[in-house]
């Protein structure tokens, strides 16, 4: 009000009565500073704009100090916990995908406001300090707005500010450059950090006369941030190179910056942070980088320079784990520390580092021993050994009990020895080693320390991991101060709980302890114990917090899925006992236990505020496992809406990759849900899920096209509903698959992962349709899987492609294409099995022909065998022969003798295909076609030839060992027919036939020759005249057929052949003479004459 009074007095037409002259920037800055101290950001911005735009008749131009005040105020207003409101610019940017996107907009309104304020100042009004304050706004925005959906691109903004400073000829100082480097470090952009560092070093060497604009010489803080950025981005070698350059320059130039302990610790800390999001090999590389830096620091100590401190070793311990240790030993890098490579036991490495701290006189604190114990992970004995080193460390014990030293550590670490003991109890609780738990508590009591609530939670988890839920109840009762429960703990596990708790903490009734008890009970399906603990919580007035409720929901989801597996096992057993109960391969379990637990998880989910995708996904899986398809679909749609919001919110980011929690979780969830549908043959929910998935994929495609400035198709919405048409009698358009997947590359370029239906997903839909007996859905789904099958064609492999076609792009290897094909090949098998169950032999042949064309490979033998069975069932023996011939003409791709196992070499693809097709033909009585296939298979070497070379001319030996009944029948027929052809010259047959069947060593009934009995029945019933086969004395694996029976069978075959030839000759004579044609015409004319006569009679009657 006073400021407005001054302005109105100056702006009036009469002479000023209060001020002698108008306020200047000095008074404006004082006013802005006062508002800033009171956090009146909006009022300060409004005041400045009114003065700058001359809204009240008085215009005040700000200066560099004005800009610094405004930018500093905006930077201070950015907080992690505050509400993130966006201004109109950002709201319009995220409004719709069809609008023009403002690429400079940010989710941080303070940064957008700062850019607007910057435009109100001229270059003469700004200086380095003003730009430094502006960069501080950018740094805070980069730190706070780092989530996937609301990301501020601080690196690009910082580079644009630096470019503007260069345009305005305002040289930054080292503080401004350090702010830039901090932004690059937090933004994880090592290239920008190294580029700026090199530019600062090069600018300091330039000629002074050419310096219109220059960068300062880097200081220690600048080097530390550059090294930290490299280490944080897994560029360990580059970080070490910068450190070496610092050491080299410091030794040769006294004015250069020398690395100190703080610089080294910053690099090690960056390795630790990067290690949390890396795989085993990357973790090993980070550990190697950190150990190399530590080795450099230890050398500095020996030279009297700054060496490692407690923070250095604490960070190294946080990097250590068994996985990184084993991976680093496999690398066999000679630069690794000798103290790491000379130990075979991981605990010795940790102990060696602790000894190194003692040798260098470095103090150990609670965090040191805590990190050392937690590095042991699953080895409770090693954790106990390190804990005992802790309590025997007099220097640590003395300092840990002093209040001054405890004040240096905050949080849980302030408890000192108890904090370390809890680490050992945590490792023991994971392994369920109660003996270690007892020893840790005993050692803790020996130094007069008492347990806290965290210690009790670890004991509860340890009891839960060994499944002793009764003692969990006893422990909870003991915490109320009941001695009898304490005696039970001492009797069973030698743990005196009450003596190791302070009197002030008894009774210890805390929500975290009861929640851990409930979770541990549910993990072992002890619902009764969990219910008792929950009732006890209610009696004590405790309620579950959000984290505890999430853990309980996850346990209920796990129990629902496990119960569903048991229910499916029971359903399969019932189907085997009563095969007529369920048809078409559908397994229909009775959901009882899984249904109740999934419903409980759904009910508890309503109590969670803003559930994460890692919680929603297990609940959706549990609902599918229990048959709650609609509930699962509602959760999936909820996650899809959240993913679309992430997609729209990320529009303001300049990054071409969209990342989000929901978008990252959905592909795995989609695959799991379709697996549950395929497991039970539930095609309706599978198609519903497919609709939802394709709708989400269409939204992502539209987003990708909007980013590239392309127009979206109006038919996009109709296209994603094609999966629903599969369940109806509507023909699938021919151009749908190609149109649907023509822009599938956008999914990979935007998300780095496929979010729509992939080839594996379509395969699962085919399996669900197959098990449900929906052959029309199989027919409609096969075209959708075509693009994924075509991708595996061998012609796309770099080994088989011409050299000229490989230029300009990389091709996958043949081995990779083979693996990709093997994962998708089961789709055809599922479709053909459904066609077989529904007797759709024409679609089976069409599907196999199309698959051969798409893949350029042989279909799986199970698919071809199924097609042969359905053809044989419809008595189409010649088509079976043609199908086998077409498949055999295709060259085999991918499998070599080196890759195949012994079983695969014994039962090859060709042998399996010939065997299955002969079995199908034999089952339906088409013996001649079966004999033809056997002859072809034996001639090509894929089936064994039955006739054995024997020195005894009086016998003909046939080896049928290892053959099925059908193949054995064809082998006998073809072998005897061949011998018949040889004896057609008139010679008399004078040989007995000896058939070797085997002793049944590999049969289902061990050493009982099943083939022998079946062959005897076959020779008696299927040969005319029957062949009498008797067992050879002393060898139950042989049968003998006397020569008389063979001669009779030969004579019958000759008569049958003569009769067939006569019948053919008679038919040919009728055709050539015209008698047959004349009789057919006469019969036709007689039928026509009778029809005309009947018509005339009907007309006369009318």
């Amino acid at each position: 009000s006073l400021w407005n009074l001054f302005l109105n007095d100056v702006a009036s037409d009469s002479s000023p009565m209060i001020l002698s002259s108008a306020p200047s920037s000095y008074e404006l800055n004082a006013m802005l500073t006062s508002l800033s101290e009171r956090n009146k950001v909006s009022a300060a911005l409004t005041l400045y704009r009114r003065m700058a735009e001359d809204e009240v008749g008085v215009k005040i131009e700000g200066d560099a100090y004005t800009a610094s005040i405004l930018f500093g105020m905006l930077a201070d207003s950015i907080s992690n916990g505050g509400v993130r409101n966006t201004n109109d610019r950002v709201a319009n940017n995220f409004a719709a995908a069809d609008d023009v996107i403002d690429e400079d907009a940010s989710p941080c309104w303070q940064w957008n406001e700062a850019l607007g304020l910057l435009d109100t100042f001229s270059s003469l009004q700004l200086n380095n300090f003003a730009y430094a304050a502006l960069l501080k706004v950018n740094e805070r925005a980069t730190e706070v707005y780092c989530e996937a959906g609301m990301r501020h691109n601080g690196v690009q903004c910082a580079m644009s500010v630096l470019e503007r400073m260069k345009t305005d000829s305002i040289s930054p100082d080292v503080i401004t450059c350090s702010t830039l480097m901090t932004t690059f470090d937090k933004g994880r952009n090592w290239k920008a950090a190294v580029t700026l560092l090199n530019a600062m070093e090069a600018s300091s060497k330039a000629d002074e006369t050419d310096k219109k604009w220059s960068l300062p010489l880097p200081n220690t803080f600048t080097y530390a941030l550059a090294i930290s950025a490299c280490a944080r981005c897994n560029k360990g070698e580059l970080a070490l190179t910068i450190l070496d350059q610092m050491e080299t320059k410091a030794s040769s130039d006294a004015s250069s910056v020398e690395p100190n302990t703080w610089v080294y610790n910053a690099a090690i800390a960056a390795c630790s942070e990067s290690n949390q999001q890396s795989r085993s090999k990357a973790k090993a590389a980070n550990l190697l980088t950190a150990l190399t830096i530590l080795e450099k620091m230890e050398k500095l100590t020996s030279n009297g320079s700054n060496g490692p401190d407690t923070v250095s070793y604490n960070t190294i311990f946080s990097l250590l784990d068994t996985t990184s240790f084993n991976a680093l030993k496999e690398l066999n890098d000679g630069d690794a520390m000798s103290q790491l490579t000379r130990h075979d036991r991981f605990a010795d490495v940790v102990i060696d580092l602790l000894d190194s701290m003692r040798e260098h006189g470095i103090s150990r604190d609670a965090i040191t021993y805590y990190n050392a114990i937690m590095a042991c992970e699953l080895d409770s004995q090693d954790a106990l050994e390190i804990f005992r080193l802790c309590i025997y460390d007099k220097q640590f014990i003395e300092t840990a009990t002093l209040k001054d030293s405890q004040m240096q550590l905050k949080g849980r670490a302030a408890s000192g020895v108890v904090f370390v003991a809890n680490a050992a109890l945590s490792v023991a609780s994971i392994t369920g080693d109660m003996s270690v738990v007892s020893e840790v508590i005993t050692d803790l009591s020996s130094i007069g320390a008492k347990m806290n609530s965290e210690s009790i939670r670890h004991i509860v988890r340890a009891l839960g991991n060994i499944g002793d839920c009764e003692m969990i109840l006893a422990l909870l009762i003991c915490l109320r101060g009941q001695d009898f429960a304490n005696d039970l703990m001492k009797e069973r596990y030698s743990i005196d709980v009450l003596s190791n708790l302070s009197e002030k903490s008894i009774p210890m009734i805390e929500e975290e302890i009861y929640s851990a008890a409930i979770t541990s009970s549910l993990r072992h399906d002890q619902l009764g114990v969990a219910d008792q603990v929950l009732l006890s919580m209610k009696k004590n007035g405790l309620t579950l917090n959000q984290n505890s409720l999430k853990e309980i929901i996850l346990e209920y989801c796990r129990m629902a899925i496990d119960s569903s597996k048991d229910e499916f096992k029971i359903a399969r057993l019932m189907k085997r006992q009563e095969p007529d109960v369920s048809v078409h391969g559908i397994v229909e379990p009775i959901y009882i236990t899984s249904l109740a637990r999934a419903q409980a998880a759904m009910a508890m989910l309503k109590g969670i505020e803003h559930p994460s995708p890692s919680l929603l996904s297990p609940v959706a899986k549990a609902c599918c496992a229990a048959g709650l398809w609609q509930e699962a679909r509602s959760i999936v749609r909820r996650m899809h809406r959240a993913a679309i919001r992430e997609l729209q919110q990320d529009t303001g980011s300049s990054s071409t990759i969209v990342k989000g929690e929901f978008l990252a979780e959905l592909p795995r969830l989609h695959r799991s849900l379709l697996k549950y549908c395929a497991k039970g043959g539930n095609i309706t929910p599978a198609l519903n899920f497919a609709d939802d998935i394709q709708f989400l994929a269409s939204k992502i495609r539209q987003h990708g096209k909007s980013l590239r400035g392309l127009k979206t198709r109006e038919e996009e919405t109709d296209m994603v509903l094609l999966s629903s048409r599969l369940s109806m009698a509507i023909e699938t358009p021919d151009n749908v698959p190609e149109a649907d997947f023509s822009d599938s590359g956008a999914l990979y370029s935007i998300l780095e992962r496929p979010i729509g239906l992939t080839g594996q997903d379509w395969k699962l839909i085919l399996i669900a349709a197959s098990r449900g007996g929906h052959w029309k859905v199989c027919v409609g789904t096969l075209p959708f899987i075509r693009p994924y099958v075509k991708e595996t064609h061998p012609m796309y492999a770099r080994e088989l492609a011409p050299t000229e076609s490989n230029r300009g792009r990389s091709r996958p290897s043949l081995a990779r294409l083979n693996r990709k094909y093997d994962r998708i090949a089961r789709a055809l098998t599922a479709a053909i099995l459904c066609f077989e169950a529904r007797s759709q032999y024409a679609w089976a042949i069409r599907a196999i022909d199309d698959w051969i064309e798409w893949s350029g490979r042989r279909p799986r033998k199970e698919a071809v065998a199924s097609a042969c069975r359905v053809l044989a069932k419809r008595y189409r023996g010649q088509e079976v022969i043609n199908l086998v011939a077409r498949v055999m003409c295709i060259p085999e791709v991918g499998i070599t003798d080196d890759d195949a196992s012994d079983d695969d070499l014994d039962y090859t693809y060709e042998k399996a295909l010939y065997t299955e097709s002969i079995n199908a033909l034999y089952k339906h009585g088409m013996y001649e076609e079966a004999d033809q296939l056997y002859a072809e298979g034996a001639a090509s070497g894929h089936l064994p030839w039955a006739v054995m070379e024997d020195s005894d001319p009086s016998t003909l030996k046939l080896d049928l060992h290892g053959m099925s009944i059908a193949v054995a029948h064809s082998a006998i027929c073809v072998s005897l027919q061949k011998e018949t052809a040889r004896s057609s010259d008139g010679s008399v047959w004078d040989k007995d036939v000896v058939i070797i069947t085997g002793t049944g060593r590999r049969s289902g009934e061990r050493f009982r020759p099943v083939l022998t009995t079946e062959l005897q029945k076959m020779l008696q019933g299927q040969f005319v005249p029957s062949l009498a086969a008797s067992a050879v004395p002393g060898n139950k694996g042989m049968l003998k057929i006397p020569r008389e029976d063979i001669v009779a069978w030969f004579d019958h075959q000759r008569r049958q052949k003569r009769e067939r030839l006569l019948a053919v000759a008679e038919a040919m004579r009728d055709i050539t003479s015209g008698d047959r044609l004349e009789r057919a015409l006469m019969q036709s004319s007689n039928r026509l004459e009778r029809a005309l006569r009947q018509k005339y009679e009907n007309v006369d009657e009318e």
Side-chain angles (χ1 to χ4, degrees):
S1 300
L2 184 60
W3 177 264
N4 293 332
L5 179 61
F6 292 159
L7 292 181
N8 293 331
D9 180 62
V10 174
S12 62
D13 297 335
S14 60
S15 60
M17 300 178 62
I18 302 176
L19 298 178
S20 59
S21 62
S24 63
S25 60
Y26 179 81
E27 287 80 8
L28 177 62
N29 293 340
M31 190 65 184
L32 293 176
T33 303
S34 178
L35 292 174
S36 175
E37 292 174 352
R38 292 167 174 78
N39 295 325
K40 301 295 184 180
V41 180
S42 179
L45 295 175
T46 303
L47 175 63
Y48 169 75
R49 291 193 180 278
R50 289 179 62 191
M51 296 298 98
E53 297 173 3
D54 193 11
E55 294 183 1
V56 294
V58 178
K59 183 176 182 181
I60 303 176
E61 293 185 356
D63 53 12
Y65 188 54
T66 307
S68 300
I69 295 173
L70 293 172
F71 294 151
M73 188 189 318
L74 291 172
D76 294 337
S77 66
I78 303 175
S79 61
N80 292 317
V83 180
R84 301 175 183 176
N85 297 322
T86 57
N87 55 11
D88 296 337
R89 185 184 185 192
V90 182
N92 294 333
N93 185 43
F94 297 150
D98 298 334
D99 297 338
V100 179
I101 298 173
D102 188 357
E103 296 181 354
D104 296 330
S106 167
C108 177
W109 71 266
Q110 289 93 337
W111 173 253
N112 296 325
E113 190 68 35
L115 290 179
L117 292 174
L118 184 64
D119 295 334
T120 64
F121 293 94
S122 65
S123 60
L124 299 177
Q125 294 175 286
L126 298 175
N127 59 11
N128 171 67
F129 299 103
Y131 277 108
L134 176 63
L135 290 172
K136 203 67 179 177
V137 180
N138 181 52
E139 177 191 340
R140 288 290 298 146
T142 304
E143 182 180 3
V144 175
Y145 291 86
C146 58
E147 298 177 358
M150 301 286 286
R151 184 181 294 107
H152 172 78
N153 190 358
V155 176
Q156 181 179 355
C157 294
M159 296 299 291
S160 63
V161 171
L162 186 62
E163 190 66 28
R164 180 160 180 168
M165 292 182 68
K166 186 175 182 179
T167 303
D168 295 342
S169 298
I170 299 176
S171 298
D173 59 5
V174 69
I175 298 177
T176 305
C177 291
S178 297
T179 304
L180 287 167
M181 199 71 75
T182 303
T183 304
F184 299 155
D185 184 24
K186 294 178 179 179
R188 294 179 178 271
N189 195 317
W190 65 272
K191 291 183 178 179
V194 174
T195 302
L196 178 60
L197 182 64
N198 293 335
M200 293 174 69
E201 293 176 345
S203 179
S204 62
K205 299 177 182 179
D207 189 1
E208 294 292 338
T209 58
D210 298 336
K211 287 187 177 180
K212 295 182 180 180
W213 184 86
S214 62
L215 293 173
L217 185 69
N219 61 3
T220 304
F221 188 68
T222 310
Y223 275 109
L225 289 172
I227 294 171
S228 175
C230 295
R232 202 185 306 275
C233 298
N234 296 324
K235 299 297 179 181
E237 295 182 358
L238 185 57
L240 294 175
T241 302
I242 297 176
L243 280 174
D244 293 337
Q245 290 177 357
M246 289 185 66
E247 295 173 357
T248 303
K249 292 178 181 178
S251 61
S252 60
D253 187 2
S255 61
S256 298
V257 178
E258 181 181 2
N260 55 19
T261 302
W262 185 79
V263 175
Y264 289 115
N265 287 345
I268 297 176
C271 293
S272 176
E273 183 176 343
S274 175
N275 206 45
Q276 297 175 1
Q277 302 176 353
S278 304
R279 297 183 179 180
S280 58
K281 291 186 178 179
K283 287 183 177 181
N286 292 333
L287 177 59
L288 178 60
T289 302
L291 291 175
T292 306
I293 295 173
L294 181 63
E295 189 175 16
K296 287 177 174 290
M297 298 176 72
E298 290 179 344
K299 290 180 180 179
L300 291 176
T301 304
S302 61
N303 297 331
S305 303
N306 295 324
D309 57 4
T310 304
V311 177
S312 307
Y313 281 95
N314 290 353
T315 312
I316 291 292
F317 284 128
S318 67
L319 276 166
L320 278 174
D321 56 32
T322 54
T323 304
S324 302
F325 172 70
N326 295 330
L328 187 56
K329 290 182 71 69
E330 291 178 0
L331 291 177
N332 195 19
D333 197 319
D335 295 334
M337 291 185 63
S338 59
Q339 62 186 22
L340 180 67
T341 56
R342 69 168 178 255
H343 297 297
D344 294 330
R345 199 167 67 99
F346 177 72
D348 295 336
V349 177
V350 178
I351 295 172
D352 195 3
L353 288 173
L354 291 172
D355 294 338
S356 179
M357 293 182 70
R358 294 189 186 93
E359 293 175 0
H360 292 87
I362 301 173
S363 61
R364 283 80 56 199
D365 58 11
I367 298 177
T368 305
Y369 284 106
Y370 178 87
N371 291 344
I373 291 175
M374 294 304 295
C376 297
E377 294 180 318
L378 302 179
D379 197 329
S380 56
Q381 293 296 329
D382 291 345
L384 177 61
E385 182 179 358
I386 297 174
F387 174 68
R388 285 177 173 171
L389 290 177
C390 166
I391 62 177
Y392 296 150
D393 189 346
K394 295 182 180 180
Q395 177 264 333
F396 167 72
I397 296 298
E398 291 176 358
T399 56
T401 55
L402 296 177
K403 293 184 178 180
D404 294 338
S405 63
Q406 291 179 359
M407 292 300 293
Q408 296 177 1
L409 298 177
K410 298 180 180 180
R412 296 183 303 156
S415 59
V417 182
V418 180
F419 177 66
V420 180
N422 288 337
L425 291 175
S426 175
V427 176
S429 66
I430 296 174
T431 59
D433 194 340
M434 294 302 299
S435 62
V436 173
V437 172
S438 175
E439 293 182 20
V440 169
I441 296 174
T442 303
D443 293 340
L444 189 65
S445 63
S446 65
I447 58 175
K450 301 294 183 179
M451 295 188 298
N452 56 16
S453 61
E454 184 181 355
S455 308
I456 299 299
R457 290 200 299 270
H458 291 313
I459 297 175
V460 170
R461 294 189 181 98
L463 292 172
N465 283 332
I466 62 175
D468 195 351
C469 297
E470 294 180 357
M471 292 308 298
I472 293 178
L473 287 176
L475 178 60
L476 295 179
I477 297 172
C478 177
L479 293 177
R480 301 176 191 171
Q482 300 295 329
D483 292 332
F484 76 93
N486 190 49
D487 294 337
L488 290 176
M489 292 292 297
K490 289 192 294 184
E491 179 181 355
R492 183 170 297 186
Y493 296 114
S494 301
I495 299 176
D496 190 350
V497 178
L498 296 179
S499 299
N500 289 281
L501 289 175
S502 62
E503 295 181 358
K504 296 180 180 179
S505 62
I506 300 175
M508 185 179 288
I509 302 175
E510 297 184 5
E511 185 273 335
E512 291 83 0
I513 297 176
Y514 282 83
S515 299
I518 294 175
T519 306
S520 300
S521 302
L522 292 177
R523 190 171 290 115
H524 293 275
D525 298 337
Q526 297 292 330
L527 296 179
V529 176
D531 187 53
Q532 293 183 37
V533 176
L534 186 60
L535 291 175
S536 179
M537 286 187 65
K538 293 180 179 179
K539 290 180 181 179
N540 292 288
L542 299 177
T543 57
L544 293 170
N545 59 27
Q546 292 287 302
N547 291 331
S548 301
L549 191 57
K550 290 178 183 178
E551 293 180 1
I552 295 175
I553 291 174
L554 292 176
E555 288 301 323
Y556 265 95
C557 294
R558 181 196 58 79
M559 290 190 297
I561 294 174
D562 293 342
S563 300
S564 176
K565 294 178 182 178
D566 296 335
E567 290 165 350
F568 264 95
K569 290 179 182 178
I570 295 174
R572 291 191 187 97
L573 292 175
M574 293 179 61
K575 182 182 178 182
R576 292 172 185 172
Q577 296 174 0
E578 301 177 5
D580 296 335
V581 173
S582 59
V583 295
H584 305 307
I586 300 179
V587 179
E588 299 177 345
I590 301 175
Y591 300 110
I592 300 177
T593 307
S594 61
L595 180 63
R597 294 175 179 177
Q599 289 175 341
M602 282 288 297
M604 287 185 288
L605 183 64
K606 298 178 181 178
I608 300 294
E609 299 178 358
H610 308 294
S612 63
S614 60
L615 180 63
L616 291 173
S617 181
V619 176
K621 295 176 185 178
C623 290
C624 283
L628 299 174
W629 303 109
Q630 291 299 328
E631 289 79 358
R633 191 182 185 191
S634 65
I635 295 176
V636 171
R637 286 186 167 184
R638 178 179 179 179
M639 296 180 68
H640 284 183
R641 289 192 294 270
I644 293 174
R645 286 194 296 270
E646 287 181 344
L647 196 68
Q648 294 173 347
Q649 291 172 352
D650 205 83
T651 306
S653 174
S654 62
S655 175
T656 58
I657 303 297
V658 178
K659 295 181 180 179
E661 294 181 354
F662 287 92
L663 289 170
E665 182 67 28
L666 282 175
R668 294 187 293 268
L669 176 61
H670 293 161
R671 185 70 52 81
S672 299
L673 299 184
L674 291 176
K675 283 182 180 179
Y676 282 113
C677 296
K679 185 177 181 180
N682 303 103
I683 188 59
T684 300
L687 295 179
N688 290 335
F689 288 137
D691 281 338
D692 298 334
I693 295 170
Q694 289 297 77
F695 179 78
L696 177 63
S698 68
K699 289 294 183 181
I700 296 174
R701 278 192 290 270
Q702 292 175 5
H703 175 77
K705 290 182 177 180
S706 64
L707 291 180
R708 290 175 290 171
L710 301 178
K711 295 182 178 180
T712 58
R713 295 178 301 188
E714 296 179 355
E715 65 271 14
E716 186 79 26
T717 305
D718 297 335
M719 182 180 62
V720 299
L721 298 177
L722 285 174
S723 57
S724 297
R725 301 185 184 182
L726 298 178
S727 58
M728 307 176 187
I730 301 177
E731 182 179 359
T732 303
D734 295 335
N735 62 342
V736 165
E738 300 299 333
D740 190 32
F741 297 101
S742 61
D743 198 30
S744 61
L747 304 182
Y748 291 88
S749 60
I750 296 176
L751 301 172
E752 293 184 327
R753 70 184 69 86
I755 198 72
L757 287 173
T758 64
Q760 297 299 313
D761 297 331
W762 287 113
K763 180 189 73 173
L764 293 173
I765 294 176
L766 270 171
I767 294 175
S770 175
R771 292 180 176 175
H774 299 275
W775 67 271
K776 291 185 178 180
V777 178
C778 293
V779 172
T781 307
L782 280 172
F784 287 93
I785 207 172
R786 175 175 61 184
Y788 303 100
V789 180
K790 283 185 175 181
E791 290 178 354
T792 65
H793 201 288
M795 67 179 180
Y796 298 123
R798 59 171 174 260
E799 294 90 345
L800 303 180
T803 307
E804 293 78 7
S805 62
N806 289 336
R807 297 176 180 175
R809 60 174 180 174
S810 60
R811 288 175 174 264
S813 63
L814 183 60
R816 182 179 179 183
L817 291 179
N818 290 336
R819 291 192 299 269
K820 196 172 183 179
Y821 174 78
D822 291 339
R823 288 194 296 267
I824 205 172
R826 191 185 171 193
L828 177 66
T829 305
I832 302 299
L833 289 174
C834 183
F835 295 149
E836 178 189 1
R838 291 295 192 172
S839 298
Q840 298 293 328
Y841 67 91
W843 281 114
I845 296 298
R846 169 66 184 275
I848 288 181
D849 290 341
D850 289 344
W851 192 274
I852 293 173
E853 178 184 355
W854 299 342
S855 65
R857 305 166 185 265
R858 294 177 176 178
R860 293 183 66 173
K861 55 188 176 185
E862 296 84 358
V864 182
S866 178
C868 291
R869 289 193 297 269
V870 68
L871 288 172
K873 185 178 180 181
R874 302 298 291 268
Y875 298 99
R876 296 182 175 272
Q878 188 58 43
E879 293 190 22
V880 173
I881 297 175
N882 297 338
L883 175 62
V884 174
R886 286 200 304 274
V887 173
M888 289 301 174
C889 290
I890 304 172
E892 189 174 8
V893 177
I895 302 177
T896 61
D897 293 342
D898 296 335
D899 300 331
S901 61
D902 295 338
D903 295 337
D904 295 336
L905 293 175
D906 185 49
Y907 196 65
T908 60
Y909 179 93
E910 295 82 1
K911 183 177 180 179
L913 190 56
Y914 276 112
T915 301
E916 294 296 331
S917 58
I918 291 172
N919 291 341
L921 294 170
Y922 172 82
K923 181 179 179 180
H924 296 280
M926 288 175 282
Y927 303 133
E928 293 184 1
E929 289 83 356
D931 295 347
Q932 182 178 347
L933 279 180
Y934 174 79
E936 294 177 358
S940 58
H942 301 310
L943 291 177
W945 178 242
V947 179
M948 296 179 61
E949 298 294 336
D950 193 4
S951 58
D952 187 3
S954 62
T955 59
L956 174 66
K957 287 188 177 180
L958 303 180
D959 186 5
L960 307 183
H961 184 267
M963 296 183 183
S964 64
I965 299 297
V967 177
H969 178 275
S970 298
I972 294 174
C973 293
V974 172
S975 300
L976 293 180
Q977 287 172 2
K978 184 177 181 180
E979 296 299 327
T980 302
R982 289 180 179 179
S983 60
S984 59
D985 54 355
S987 60
V988 180
W989 181 264
D990 58 350
K991 297 181 181 180
D992 294 332
V993 177
V994 176
I995 300 176
I996 302 174
T997 61
T999 59
R1001 181 175 300 175
R1002 297 184 180 180
S1003 63
E1005 300 179 1
R1006 195 167 179 80
F1007 292 107
R1008 296 184 62 182
V1010 179
L1011 185 60
T1012 302
T1013 305
E1014 295 297 328
L1015 277 177
Q1016 288 177 330
K1017 295 179 181 178
M1018 180 188 68
L1019 294 173
Q1020 290 287 337
Q1022 298 180 10
F1023 282 79
V1024 180
S1026 60
L1027 301 178
S1030 59
V1032 177
N1035 192 340
K1036 60 181 180 180
M1038 284 188 179
L1039 293 177
K1040 183 177 181 180
I1041 304 175
R1043 68 189 66 184
E1044 294 80 8
D1045 291 353
I1046 300 298
V1047 171
W1049 184 78
F1050 281 166
D1051 294 340
H1052 178 76
Q1053 292 294 318
R1054 292 191 184 99
R1055 289 195 299 270
Q1056 290 290 328
K1057 184 177 181 180
R1058 189 181 303 111
E1059 292 175 0
R1060 285 195 296 270
L1061 290 175
L1062 291 175
V1064 171
E1066 183 68 23
M1068 293 297 296
R1069 185 171 61 253
D1070 291 343
I1071 294 174
T1072 54
S1073 62
D1075 296 341
R1076 186 175 180 179
L1077 180 62
E1078 182 179 356
R1079 288 195 300 269
L1081 292 174
M1082 291 180 63
Q1083 291 177 359
S1084 177
S1085 61
N1086 292 336
R1087 286 196 300 271
L1088 181 61
E1089 182 179 355
R1090 286 195 300 269
L1092 292 173
R1093 188 182 301 111
Q1094 183 66 31
K1095 181 179 181 180
Y1096 292 146
E1097 292 177 356
N1098 294 337
V1099 172
D1100 294 342
E1101 291 178 358
E1102 294 178 356

